[in-house]
Amino acid sequence: MKLHLHEFGERNVIRRCENGTITINEQTYSDSVVVTPGRVIDDWRPDSIEELTADDLGSVAQLGVELVILGTGARQVFPPAHILEPLITASIGIEIMDSGAAARTYNIVASEGRDVAAAILLD
């Protein structure tokens, strides 16, 4: 799906998320990423929800955002609670959805000026 937004300023915008790729601004990625309004982490380790660990979310928690939107791939899959523990312990909100919905939600929340990270799995 192609995503369109009006003016987004200097913040990172997810333009497209489909077919195992994600386009942030004008750059297309084919591996999992973490995106915040000011930063793109394109070497995030897990390739799929099955590979996601607490350590992976611990690295996201260290970004110090108020909300993490976890895109779990083509389908919404809820990870076990122990994997979410780093975010819970840090009092960071978490929303879990399929990656397309996570991309759309990230754009809306970031456009509101909120401190958000989208952790997007593409498998």
Side-chain angles (χ1 to χ4, degrees), residues 32-37 39-46 49 51-71 79 83-96 106 115-121:
S32 300
V33 298
V34 177
V35 60
T36 70
R39 183 173 177 192
V40 176
I41 301 167
D42 62 357
D43 60 352
W44 194 45
R45 190 204 64 82
I49 190 65
E51 293 181 10
L52 184 69
T53 67
D55 287 342
D56 298 321
L57 290 181
S59 68
V60 177
Q62 291 177 2
L63 296 173
V65 296
E66 67 184 43
L67 174 65
V68 171
I69 302 167
L70 177 62
I83 291 176
L84 302 174
E85 187 175 344
L87 297 173
I88 295 166
T89 300
S91 298
I92 297 171
I94 181 149
E95 295 290 336
I96 300 165
Y106 162 81
D115 195 12
V116 61
I120 307 287
L121 299 163

